[in-house]
Amino acid sequence: MVVGVVAGVAVVAVLALIGLFKLMWRVAEPNEALVISGSKHRMEGLEEGMGFRIVTGRGTLVLPGVQVVRKLSLDLNETELQVDCVTHQGIPLKVRGVVIFKVGDDFVSIANAARRFLDQQKLMSERVHNVFAGHLRSIVGGLTVEDMIRDREKLTGQTRAACGTEMEKLGLIVDSLQIHEIEDPTGYIQNLAMPHAAAVQRDARIAQAEANRLATEAEQQSFARMAEATRDSEILQAGYQAERDKAAAKARQAGPLAEAGARQEVVVQETRVAELEAHRREQQLQADVRKPADARAYETRTLAEAERDARISAAQAKAKETELAAAAEATRVKTAAGAEAEATKTRGQASAAATRATGEAEAAAAQAKGLAQAEAVRAHGLAEAEAIKARAAALAENQEAVVAQQLAEKWPEIVQAGASAFGNVDNMVLLNGADGMAELFAKALTMGGTGLGLARQLLASMNANGQNPGGPSLNGSAPGPSQKVPVQDA
């Protein structure tokens, strides 16, 4: 009985110990760290008297009521980055990325993270976002858009390096930082890409056109080879058909050819017989015709040559005779011409002497005639000069009488000149009848009186100027023989 009780008590004690052990024993999972506070512990790498203990990857005893156990997650965390930045060029951009981080595995990192995020682990992503956003704005402000596009790794590296110290203080490590997208609300990046896009489109169109050309050339070459093969095939077929037709034609002509061959042999033999017959006839003609004809021709040719030689001899003799006669005649003509020349020379000399004497006589007569004409002209000139002088003297004494005399002498001519104005008139209309005709002729006849008045005015004007028309001038010189006194005619 006592043994049974002791055994039961022992069992209860064992169970109580097991339950107490389970209550006091804590095991850290691989992705978490146990932070045990309530007693001082000294761990390597931590400052002395930290006031809590860190357990990772193993179990530990915890005194309930004395120590408190809390868990710190070591899982990966991520935060989305959507940061509005401005580049060194002053161009606004929006950078989108992601940061993957976790609490560091070493006790220092766990301790730093436990002090900052143990009760605020849900706010860890927000805190990391703020850290990276500030540094990202600062780094983008020192870069250009071209640098960010062409070297994103540089942007990522500078951001991780800038945030490393602060993340270490927070007990966090960055497993990955990726810049997913750089948004450009102003279109600057798109404008940068346009020249390259245009070049790519150009190269693509050129490549497409080249490919189309090559494809077309290949197709044309293929068509050409097909046509060539078709042509060769048709040529071969035509050749084979021609050979078949030729064989068939030969087969059809075999009989006629054999008959023609036989007839040809007959014709050849007949031709040979005819040639022999012709040769025989030719020989016969040589003997019967040609030789006698040759003899007769030789006889005729010999007689003709003899007759020709006789005619030539006669002609030569006659030519010699004619030559001698011509020489004699030439001698006679030469002698007669010499005699005629001597006679002509004699007659020429006599004629020249007579011509010279006649010329001298005619020259003397012409000289005498010229002297007589000169004396007559001189006498006429002197007489005219004396008449002009006398007229000038009379004009000086009585100008009106002289002018009236000259007008009276020229009166018929003046009337005729006045009437000549009507000589070319075909029809004349007279308004006053016979009285009008009388007035017309009276005006024509009275033109002489008008001429007299004009002559008087002329003389008066000349005397006023110191000149005497037709007479001697104021210096006493008389006019020359050919000088005439001007008279005003009506």
Side-chain angles (χ1 to χ4, degrees):
M1 185 70 181
V2 174
V3 174
V5 172
V6 171
V9 172
V11 171
V12 172
V14 169
L15 292 175
L17 289 173
I18 293 173
L20 181 61
F21 180 77
K22 286 184 177 181
L23 182 62
M24 297 175 60
W25 186 256
R26 295 288 186 271
V27 178
E29 299 292 336
N31 61 341
E32 65 181 5
L34 297 179
V35 179
I36 304 170
S37 58
S39 61
K40 286 187 177 182
H41 295 278
R42 183 176 181 182
M43 300 184 65
E44 184 178 358
L46 296 176
E47 63 274 14
E48 187 176 356
M50 185 173 57
F52 61 89
R53 179 163 56 96
I54 299 171
V55 176
T56 58
R58 60 184 180 86
T60 184
L61 289 174
V62 178
L63 297 177
V66 177
Q67 296 176 333
V68 177
V69 178
R70 283 174 292 185
K71 296 179 179 180
L72 180 64
S73 176
L74 301 180
D75 292 332
L76 285 176
N77 296 284
E78 69 177 34
T79 180
E80 297 287 338
L81 294 177
Q82 296 183 4
V83 184
D84 294 329
C85 306
V86 178
T87 65
H88 180 69
Q89 301 159 313
I91 299 173
L93 298 176
K94 181 175 287 187
V95 180
R96 295 181 180 274
V98 61
V99 179
I100 299 176
F101 63 94
K102 65 181 293 294
V103 177
D105 294 331
D106 58 289
F107 290 147
V108 176
S109 298
I110 295 174
N112 291 335
R115 287 177 179 148
R116 291 167 176 81
F117 303 110
L118 188 59
D119 293 333
Q120 299 177 355
Q121 295 186 38
K122 293 181 180 181
L123 300 177
M124 189 180 297
S125 298
E126 183 179 352
R127 302 289 186 271
V128 171
H129 179 275
N130 294 334
V131 172
F132 274 86
H135 287 285
L136 191 59
R137 288 191 185 95
S138 176
I139 294 170
V140 169
L143 299 176
T144 63
V145 178
E146 288 81 357
D147 295 337
M148 296 173 61
I149 293 173
R150 294 169 185 169
D151 192 3
R152 289 192 181 184
E153 190 65 29
K154 178 180 179 181
L155 175 62
T156 303
Q158 291 182 359
T159 304
R160 294 186 65 171
C163 298
T165 303
E166 295 184 8
M167 293 292 287
E168 184 178 355
K169 290 179 180 180
L170 296 176
L172 303 176
I173 59 175
V174 179
D175 281 354
S176 177
L177 171 61
Q178 297 294 328
I179 304 299
H180 291 165
E181 185 180 1
I182 299 175
E183 295 181 358
D184 178 19
T186 63
Y188 183 85
I189 298 175
Q190 184 177 3
N191 293 332
L192 285 178
M194 281 184 179
H196 303 286
V200 171
Q201 291 179 0
R202 179 200 61 200
D203 296 340
R205 291 179 62 185
I206 293 173
Q208 184 64 38
E210 183 68 17
N212 292 337
R213 184 183 65 81
L214 294 176
T216 303
E217 290 180 356
E219 289 178 355
Q220 296 299 326
Q221 292 177 0
S222 176
F223 292 153
R225 287 194 293 269
M226 291 173 61
E228 183 179 1
T230 302
R231 181 203 62 190
D232 295 340
S233 175
E234 291 177 353
I235 291 173
L236 290 175
Q237 292 179 8
Y240 296 150
Q241 184 64 35
E243 291 179 359
R244 290 196 297 268
D245 295 342
K246 185 177 179 180
K250 285 184 178 181
R252 289 193 302 269
Q253 295 174 358
L257 285 175
E259 183 178 355
R263 289 183 61 188
Q264 183 179 3
E265 291 295 332
V266 173
V267 172
V268 169
Q269 295 300 326
E270 290 178 350
T271 302
R272 288 180 179 176
V273 172
E275 289 177 355
L276 293 174
E277 182 66 23
H279 183 67
R280 185 186 66 78
R281 290 181 180 179
E282 183 180 359
Q283 296 296 328
Q284 185 67 32
L285 289 173
Q286 288 284 344
D288 296 342
V289 178
R290 185 172 182 179
K291 288 184 178 181
D294 289 343
R296 288 193 298 272
Y298 178 73
E299 181 181 0
T300 303
R301 185 169 59 252
T302 302
L303 293 175
E305 289 177 356
E307 185 178 358
R308 182 197 63 189
D309 293 339
R311 288 197 303 271
I312 290 172
S313 298
Q316 288 177 351
K318 188 174 182 179
K320 186 67 175 176
E321 182 181 354
T322 302
E323 183 179 357
L324 292 174
E329 181 66 21
T331 302
R332 184 186 64 78
V333 171
K334 182 177 181 181
T335 302
E340 182 66 23
E342 289 294 331
T344 302
K345 182 177 181 181
T346 302
R347 288 195 301 269
Q349 291 176 354
S351 178
T355 302
R356 184 170 59 252
T358 302
E360 291 176 354
E362 290 179 353
Q367 183 177 6
K369 185 178 180 180
L371 291 173
Q373 289 179 352
E375 288 297 329
V377 171
R378 181 171 178 272
H380 182 269
L382 292 175
E384 187 175 357
E386 290 295 331
I388 292 171
K389 183 177 181 182
R391 188 181 300 140
L395 182 63
E397 294 177 357
N398 192 359
Q399 296 179 353
E400 294 184 359
V402 174
V403 172
Q405 181 183 359
Q406 290 181 352
L407 290 175
E409 292 174 358
K410 299 295 183 178
W411 186 257
E413 296 178 3
I414 293 171
V415 174
Q416 183 180 1
S420 65
F422 306 100
N424 296 324
V425 176
D426 293 334
N427 296 315
M428 180 180 297
V429 179
L430 298 176
L431 300 177
N432 296 329
D435 295 336
M437 179 63 73
E439 290 178 2
L440 181 62
F441 281 106
K443 289 181 180 180
L445 295 175
T446 55
M447 291 176 67
T450 305
L452 178 59
L454 293 173
R456 290 175 177 175
Q457 294 176 5
L458 176 61
L459 290 173
S461 63
M462 292 178 67
N463 290 329
N465 293 330
Q467 276 187 328
N468 192 359
S473 61
L474 296 177
N475 56 10
S477 61
S482 59
Q483 194 173 11
K484 295 185 180 181
V485 177
V487 178
Q488 180 69 34
D489 294 335

